[in-house]
């Protein structure tokens, strides 16, 4: 299929077909506390206004570019984090925005004029995610902090990083719940059940699932003994190739995006220690898609084909936040 520069939005029927409503809160796929974040996207029909008694404590961080704000507060005396994100404008509703909105003139100079536009309520949604009850780890995760780039040799991995991971006992039970259909089964778009090369493919919670311009899917491997890039060897090539090819095929047939429009990558360090692969639209500047953390799966495959133990022997680089315990371990070892 030829590439197209035209934006493609999903129609309502497509949305209902591929993305049924989530009936209950799910464990978030990027949990860093190891136990899964219970995130609730506001649905007044089923849960009422969960934020009606939210007491704001502090703004953890915000981004004018991404139009998001992360807020710490309390609900019924317990910590909570609320993420507010302006949703993208869909092409199908432009005529309604132009005809049904109220305009207030702010400035006019010759041919230039600026207005404050008040869109109808149903066209002025804010995607709202609630982490509740939130731990201190969640609060720190969303707080703006200084970052540092760590240099991890193969020796560093086995003497510092791996022991740290093992000490933390990070749980990925929420991942197993997905693989075993105990949670989020209605969100799975595709599954290959092969125990060695199989995986499930589902939308990331960061995607509002209404347009393909910011498409974001996650493939989760059925194999449970791969923590990160460092564990990958030539025996895992069939798995990686299977995820890449079948993921690309599914996205083409479902969303009309060819492989030349996709960025497919793994994180190092990953947010959780179970092999998963990110599929995002090439034109979408997804958080974590920068060169300091994202590794294209095509490069990973070729590197292993050249050297079956490539990721057990080479030096890797990755960013860590100021409050990360791993950064402290590297400082104690004199590596910073």
């Amino acid at each position: 299929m030829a590439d197209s520069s035209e934006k493609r939005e999903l129609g309502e029927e497509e949305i209902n077909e591929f993305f049924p409503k989530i009936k209950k809160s799910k464990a978030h796929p990027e949990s860093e506390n190891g136990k899964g974040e219970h995130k609730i996207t506001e649905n007044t029909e089923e849960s009422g206004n969960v934020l009606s008694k939210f007491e704001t404590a502090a703004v953890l961080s915000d981004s004018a570019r991404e139009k998001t704000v992360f807020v710490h507060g309390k609900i019924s005396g317990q910590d909570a984090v609320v993420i507010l994100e302006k949703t993208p404008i869909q092409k199908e509703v432009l005529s309604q925005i132009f005809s049904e909105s109220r305009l207030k003139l702010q400035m006019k100079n010759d041919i230039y004029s600026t207005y404050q536009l008040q869109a109808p309520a149903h066209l002025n949604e804010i995607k709202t995610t609630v982490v509740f009850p939130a731990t201190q780890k969640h609060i720190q995760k969303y707080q703006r902090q200084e970052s540092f780039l760590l240099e991890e040799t193969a020796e560093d991995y086995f003497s510092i990083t791996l022991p740290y991971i093992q000490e933390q006992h990070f749980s990925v039970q929420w991942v197993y719940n997905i693989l075993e259909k105990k949670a989020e089964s209605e969100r799975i778009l595709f599954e290959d059940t092969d125990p060695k090369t199989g995986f499930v493919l589902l939308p990331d919670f960061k995607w509002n699932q209404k347009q393909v311009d910011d498409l974001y899917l996650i493939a989760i491997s059925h194999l449970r003994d791969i923590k990160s890039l460092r564990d990958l060897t030539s025996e895992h090539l069939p798995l990686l190739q299977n995820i890449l090819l079948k993921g690309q095929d599914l996205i083409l047939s479902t969303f009309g995006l060819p492989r030349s429009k996709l960025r497919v990558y793994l994180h190092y360090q990953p947010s959780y220690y179970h092999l998963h692969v990110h599929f995002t639209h090439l034109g979408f500047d997804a958080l974590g898609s920068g060169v300091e953390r994202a590794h294209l799966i095509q490069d990973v495959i070729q590197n292993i084909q050249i050297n079956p133990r490539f990721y057990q022997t080479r030096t890797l680089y990755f960013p860590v936040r100021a409050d990360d315990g791993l950064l402290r371990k590297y400082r104690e070892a004199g590596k910073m």
Side-chain angles (χ1 to χ4, degrees), residues 256-270:
L257 281 180
R259 62 189 59 190
S260 59
K261 289 287 189 178
L262 296 176
R263 180 189 295 112
V264 189
Y265 55 95
L266 296 82
H267 279 152
Y268 193 78
Q269 290 280 321

Side-chain angles (χ1 to χ4, degrees), residues 29 172 174-176 179 196-200 202 218-233 236-241 243 265-268 270-278 295 297 300 304:
V172 289
W174 65 271
V175 175
Y176 300 158
L179 296 176
K196 292 186 176 181
T197 63
F199 64 98
V200 297
L202 68 165
I218 296 289
I220 302 177
S221 167
H222 277 299
L223 271 181
R224 301 190 180 191
D225 60 351
I226 308 173
K227 294 183 291 298
S228 71
L229 275 179
R230 287 292 191 186
D231 294 325
L232 293 174
T233 65
H236 302 120
L237 285 176
L239 168 62
L240 297 174
Q241 292 165 333
I243 290 176
Y265 55 95
L266 296 82
H267 279 152
Y268 193 78
S271 296
Y272 50 96
Y273 294 97
H274 179 103
L275 182 68
H276 58 285
V277 178
H278 304 253
H295 297 251
I297 190 172
V300 173
I304 296 175

Side-chain angles (χ1 to χ4, degrees), residues 82-309:
V82 176
I83 305 168
L84 301 177
E85 177 184 356
K86 289 293 291 183
T87 55
I89 297 173
Q90 299 178 54
K91 184 170 60 178
E92 287 83 0
V93 302
L94 286 176
S95 61
Q96 286 182 271
I97 291 177
F98 295 144
S99 63
E100 300 177 21
S101 299
R102 290 186 298 170
L103 286 179
K104 181 178 180 181
L105 180 65
Q106 293 184 315
M107 182 276 295
K108 183 174 180 61
N109 184 353
D110 193 28
I111 65 172
Y112 303 100
S113 55
T114 59
Y115 299 85
Q116 182 182 58
L117 185 149
Q118 182 62 54
H122 69 285
L123 299 177
N124 198 26
E125 296 179 350
I126 297 178
K127 180 183 176 184
T128 304
T129 304
V130 181
V131 183
F132 175 76
T135 67
Q136 189 61 32
K137 185 72 174 179
H138 296 126
I139 297 169
Q140 292 174 341
K141 173 182 177 180
Y142 296 113
Q143 195 166 32
R144 182 181 288 110
Q145 292 189 32
E146 187 178 7
S147 293
F148 300 85
L149 190 67
L150 286 187
E151 177 180 314
E152 178 192 81
T153 65
E155 180 182 351
D156 291 336
Y157 173 73
F158 290 106
S159 64
I160 304 174
T161 306
L162 183 58
Y164 173 77
I165 294 171
Q166 294 170 335
E167 288 173 5
Q168 300 305 305
H169 301 292
F170 293 119
S171 171
V172 289
Q173 183 57 50
W174 65 271
V175 175
Y176 300 158
N177 289 342
I178 294 175
L179 296 176
E180 296 168 5
K181 310 301 189 302
K182 295 178 180 178
E184 305 189 48
S185 59
E186 73 277 14
R187 300 182 68 247
I188 295 175
L189 301 181
F190 174 82
E191 179 175 18
D192 182 329
T193 59
D194 188 283
K196 292 186 176 181
T197 63
F199 64 98
V200 297
L201 186 68
L202 68 165
D204 187 277
F205 271 100
K206 290 185 286 294
W207 185 33
N208 71 4
Q209 305 166 19
K210 292 184 179 180
Q211 65 283 314
V212 298
D213 289 352
D214 55 348
L215 176 139
Y216 200 143
L217 302 178
I218 296 289
I220 302 177
S221 167
H222 277 299
L223 271 181
R224 301 190 180 191
D225 60 351
I226 308 173
K227 294 183 291 298
S228 71
L229 275 179
R230 287 292 191 186
D231 294 325
L232 293 174
T233 65
S234 56
E235 70 174 293
H236 302 120
L237 285 176
L239 168 62
L240 297 174
Q241 292 165 333
N242 192 47
I243 290 176
L244 174 62
L245 295 178
K246 289 185 178 177
Q248 289 174 331
D249 288 345
L250 183 281
I251 292 172
L252 175 61
S253 62
T254 305
F255 306 109
L257 281 180
R259 62 189 59 190
S260 59
K261 289 287 189 178
L262 296 176
R263 180 189 295 112
V264 189
Y265 55 95
L266 296 82
H267 279 152
Y268 193 78
Q269 290 280 321
S271 296
Y272 50 96
Y273 294 97
H274 179 103
L275 182 68
H276 58 285
V277 178
H278 304 253
F279 288 77
T280 64
H281 192 297
L282 184 62
F284 174 48
D285 187 17
L287 186 66
S289 61
V291 296
E292 71 276 11
R293 191 178 179 199
H295 297 251
L296 288 175
I297 190 172
Q298 295 93 331
D299 287 338
V300 173
I301 290 171
Q302 289 190 55
N303 288 337
I304 296 175
Q305 288 173 333
I306 295 171
N307 177 1
R309 292 185 54 79

Side-chain angles (χ1 to χ4, degrees), residues 321-332:
R321 289 154 54 96
D323 67 340
D324 197 307
L326 187 56
L327 177 63
R328 184 178 66 254
K329 291 292 186 180
Y330 270 73
R331 280 177 169 159
E332 291 172 354

Side-chain angles (χ1 to χ4, degrees), residues 5-31:
S5 59
E6 293 280 337
K7 291 185 179 180
R8 177 179 181 272
E9 287 80 13
L10 301 182
E12 183 175 353
E13 292 183 359
E14 289 178 287
I15 294 171
N16 291 336
E17 177 181 358
F18 296 114
F19 310 111
K21 287 185 178 180
I22 300 172
K23 300 301 181 184
K24 54 187 177 180
S25 63
K26 308 297 181 183
H28 185 260
E30 296 248 347
S31 170

